[in-house]
Amino acid sequence: MKATGIVRRIDDLGRVVIPKEIRRTMRIREGDPLEIYTDKDGGVIFKKYSLMGGLSDFAVQLCESLNKTTGRVAAITDRDACIAVAGAARRELTDKRISAELENIMEGRQIYQRQEGDGPLPACEESDKFQLDVAAPILSEGDVLGSVLFLSQEGGAAGEAEYKLAQTVAAFLGRHMES
């Protein structure tokens, strides 16, 4: 655990305020679910809960199918990180934090498709090696849960097949999360 030096008191209803700096750094928004853990040293740990995280094995299989079908790097994210990747970028992107650009695309709730002449949009914060070609937000009951991505290193425009596949898989995962 990393010490922050910030101390907060619990109020009479058992609530504690997570400081704005930590919420911003960890991308914790109002209404986000948090898992609560305890450790053997008496510590309490809050961790962002990801509905998509429970689907990681299934998401890996979907990405592998998308990769085999299209020959392109395919990824599935939750709201914060890549949870599944298939193709050449697996080691470089798995569990990496998504870029601010991808987060904005997801919040816009529209499918992004790179067009000729568009500037590159990185998939992850830590590396701009892989660019977004297609990004389809996963929506469930009006909430954004993550996204389905097609990526490339050279930033080539994706075709209609990749667009439709990303759209279909994102809709499928959104429906799956509703049940």
Side-chain angles (χ1 to χ4, degrees), residues 7 37 42 45 47 56 62 79-80 88 93 95 106 118 139-140 150 167-168:
V7 176
Y37 297 92
I45 301 163
K47 182 179 177 190
S56 61
L62 276 172
R79 287 180 51 135
D80 298 304
L93 296 176
D95 296 327
M106 290 181 349
D118 285 353
L139 304 173
S140 179
F150 282 106
Q167 181 182 38
T168 301

Side-chain angles (χ1 to χ4, degrees), residues 70-107:
T70 64
R72 301 177 72 99
V73 175
I76 295 177
T77 73
D78 63 11
R79 287 180 51 135
D80 298 304
C82 290
I83 61 169
V85 181
R90 179 176 293 176
R91 286 193 180 126
E92 294 177 60
L93 296 176
T94 302
D95 296 327
K96 298 294 189 269
R97 185 176 283 234
I98 65 169
S99 67
E101 293 88 349
L102 176 54
E103 188 175 0
N104 289 336
I105 289 168
M106 290 181 349
E107 290 302 322

